[in-house]
Amino acid sequence: MAMGSHQKRGQGEKVWLTPSELVKALGPFDLDPCFGSPRPWDTAACHLGPDAAGGMGGLFEEWHGFVWCNPPYDQEVGKWLARCADHGDGIALIFARTETAEFHSQVWGRADAVFFFRGRIEFCLPTGARPGHTGGAPSVLVCYGQRAVDRVKAAGMDGKLIILDRGNGHE
């Protein structure tokens, strides 16, 4: 399996795509606010690209419905997770960097569940081809809202779903 829109800006720019089978297993989605081009398959009914606002256009536009968010994996990931948490109805796919401030504030402190994959996900190239290697780090699905939790449960993926208790006073 591979992921959504993993984009790295600057020299050696790369676009990494969510494999269609992962999106199909979790979808359908109404909106993908951070999908780049080109794309050989859709991840949602509506796509917002990163073209505006310094590469974060979808971050500043209105979100609707059930959201798929595989944000650019850079220093701005916390902003995307905050927007997902504020929206409250969607799934984010990020690296499982559980020690970061963003993970503590926007995942542990605000998400309804997390799903850790067994093994690593293989990203796809803009052509849809598999590069033959993984993203270099473990990945996690972050569930915001009960619909997200239910979709991950129903997908039957290999890994571990952990329901979070946001009412315990801890981040």
Side-chain angles (χ1 to χ4, degrees), residues 12-30:
E13 178 178 2
K14 294 186 185 261
V15 176
W16 298 97
L17 307 178
T18 304
S20 60
E21 64 270 13
L22 179 57
V23 175
K24 286 178 186 172
L26 297 167
F29 293 94
D30 299 308

Side-chain angles (χ1 to χ4, degrees), residues 65-149:
F66 191 54
V67 172
W68 169 255
C69 184
N70 184 7
Y73 288 17
D74 60 18
Q75 69 276 8
E76 304 296 341
V77 72
K79 291 179 182 178
W80 290 99
L81 292 175
R83 186 69 192 271
C84 286
D86 290 344
H87 181 70
D89 189 19
I91 299 173
L93 174 64
I94 60 171
F95 282 146
R97 301 205 190 285
T98 60
E99 79 286 3
T100 64
E102 292 85 3
F103 207 96
H104 277 263
S105 64
Q106 302 305 326
V107 177
W108 294 134
R110 300 186 70 192
D112 293 284
V114 290
F115 178 83
F116 292 92
F117 292 92
R118 180 181 299 269
R120 292 188 177 175
I121 295 175
E122 184 180 344
F123 295 95
C124 293
L125 299 170
T127 61
R130 304 287 174 122
H133 56 81
T134 66
S139 298
V140 63
L141 294 173
V142 183
C143 302
Y144 296 100
Q146 189 59 48
R147 179 165 40 174
V149 175

